[in-house]
Amino acid sequence: MNIIPTKKQWKKWSLPSKASYVGSVITILSIFLAIFLFFIDRSASSYPVEKKSTEIMEMDTTFAALLESAKTDPRDIADYLEKIPVDKGKDTAKRTIEELYNNRIISIKIKEILDIVVEKIFETTEEFENESRNLKSKGNYDLAKVMEEIKIAIEKKDPRLLLNIYKSYEEREKEKRANLLKKLIKSSASIFAYKEAKKFYYELIDIKPSAENHFGFAYFLQEFSFFIEAKKEYEEALKIYRELANENPGHIYLMWP
């Protein structure tokens, strides 16, 4: 499925539609960059940052020059790229580009552009594959799996997969943090460190405002005689439970953490 509009479609779009699309693209690219910068252990790389940056700048200059000389729109390149089965391997991708040129579907300049794009795709997937292997050797299998998922998303040329990867990772991290906070709350309460326990509860509610957590916080506040605050938390828990009951009338919800 091609989520990038053709030049013809782009011209038909209204200004708000164009602005919305550009905003979506920027969001997706930002997410991808966030994933890349967050996950890659730069200290483990022996490749100098200055050299890498210079190469990227040189590639951008060459690519821009080719686009200019070919008098083509980047969206047209995206349409051509849809015809290339990157997920089938580098040789197949290169052979497809050659066939498109031999069959006079693309010009020599478009061929050169596609050669550069495909080369960079495989360089990027190779980097993620190597990073995944490196993480596995260090026992970090969860992060290695994320690297593999990003590699597959690049091969499929589907930015929506990158968005899903980010959301999935974010949710797992949120769950880990919530579990840690619950342990800290229990530990703080056991030594009557109620100020610290309250702080941890507020953090827990912030990242996971479930009825269960609100009810647990309310019960904790009641135990330590914070009755006004406890009342607010009980009310919030009941509000969420009522909403859940309306959505699932046949389900029984237990008001206990």
Side-chain angles (χ1 to χ4, degrees):
M1 178 181 178
N2 184 13
I3 64 171
I4 302 174
T6 61
K7 187 189 289 185
K8 187 176 180 181
Q9 290 171 327
W10 178 262
K11 288 180 179 178
K12 289 182 179 179
W13 283 3
S14 64
L15 186 58
S17 296
K18 290 178 179 178
S20 178
Y21 175 78
V22 170
S24 299
V25 171
I26 291 172
T27 300
I28 291 169
L29 290 175
S30 299
I31 288 170
F32 176 74
L33 183 60
I35 292 171
F36 185 83
L37 293 177
F38 185 81
F39 288 136
I40 298 300
D41 182 5
R42 284 167 285 184
S43 64
S45 174
S46 59
Y47 202 86
V49 175
E50 293 80 5
K51 184 178 179 182
K52 194 76 170 178
S53 300
T54 302
E55 285 189 357
I56 291 171
M57 289 175 65
E58 288 175 354
M59 185 201 74
D60 287 345
T61 303
T62 303
F63 188 73
L66 282 170
L67 281 176
E68 182 66 27
S69 64
K71 291 182 171 54
T72 190
D73 191 292
R75 289 182 293 273
D76 293 334
I77 299 301
D79 288 338
Y80 287 125
L81 196 59
E82 286 293 320
K83 303 176 188 294
I84 303 170
V86 176
D87 56 335
K88 300 296 182 183
K90 189 174 184 179
D91 291 340
T92 302
K94 290 285 187 180
R95 189 162 54 249
T96 302
I97 295 173
E98 196 68 37
E99 288 172 0
L100 289 171
Y101 172 67
N102 291 335
N103 293 329
R104 298 187 178 182
I105 297 173
I106 59 174
S107 66
I108 184 65
K109 289 181 178 179
I110 297 296
K111 178 181 179 298
E112 289 175 1
I113 292 170
L114 290 175
D115 280 333
I116 290 176
V117 171
V118 168
E119 191 66 38
K120 291 311 296 180
I121 286 174
F122 282 101
E123 280 184 20
T124 304
T125 55
E126 186 178 354
E127 284 180 14
F128 279 105
E129 189 173 354
N130 290 337
E131 186 64 23
S132 174
R133 196 178 298 114
N134 180 47
L135 288 165
K136 283 180 180 177
S137 68
K138 295 178 179 178
N140 197 339
Y141 295 102
D142 288 341
L143 203 50
K145 184 181 178 182
V146 174
M147 293 295 127
E148 290 168 1
E149 289 173 351
I150 294 174
K151 174 179 174 289
I152 292 170
I154 296 169
E155 289 173 343
K156 291 186 175 181
K157 307 183 293 290
D158 192 344
R160 292 167 300 181
L161 290 177
L162 294 172
L163 184 61
N164 291 339
I165 290 167
Y166 181 78
K167 286 182 177 179
S168 176
Y169 179 83
E170 191 177 46
E171 192 59 37
R172 288 199 302 271
E173 287 302 298
K174 188 184 290 185
E175 193 63 38
K176 287 179 183 177
R177 190 178 166 197
N179 289 335
L180 173 61
L181 284 166
K182 287 177 181 178
K183 288 181 173 61
L184 291 171
I185 289 166
K186 187 175 181 180
S187 301
S188 301
S190 69
I191 58 173
F192 291 83
Y194 67 90
K195 289 182 180 179
E196 287 72 17
K198 278 181 69 176
K199 181 180 177 181
F200 292 139
Y201 251 124
Y202 280 123
E203 288 284 334
L204 178 62
I205 296 294
D206 184 55
I207 64 172
K208 202 170 181 181
S210 66
E212 178 185 323
N213 289 335
H214 277 290
F215 190 85
F217 191 19
Y219 185 78
F220 164 82
L221 291 167
Q222 180 183 331
E223 287 287 289
F224 281 88
S225 302
F226 295 101
F227 299 115
I228 295 175
E229 292 176 73
K231 181 175 178 290
K232 290 179 181 178
E233 293 301 323
Y234 276 129
E235 288 172 348
E236 189 61 37
L238 287 170
K239 178 184 174 183
I240 296 172
Y241 278 127
R242 288 192 187 104
E243 290 172 356
L244 291 171
N246 289 332
E247 292 173 6
N248 303 284
H251 190 82
I252 298 174
Y253 294 94
L254 300 176
M255 294 187 187
W256 195 258

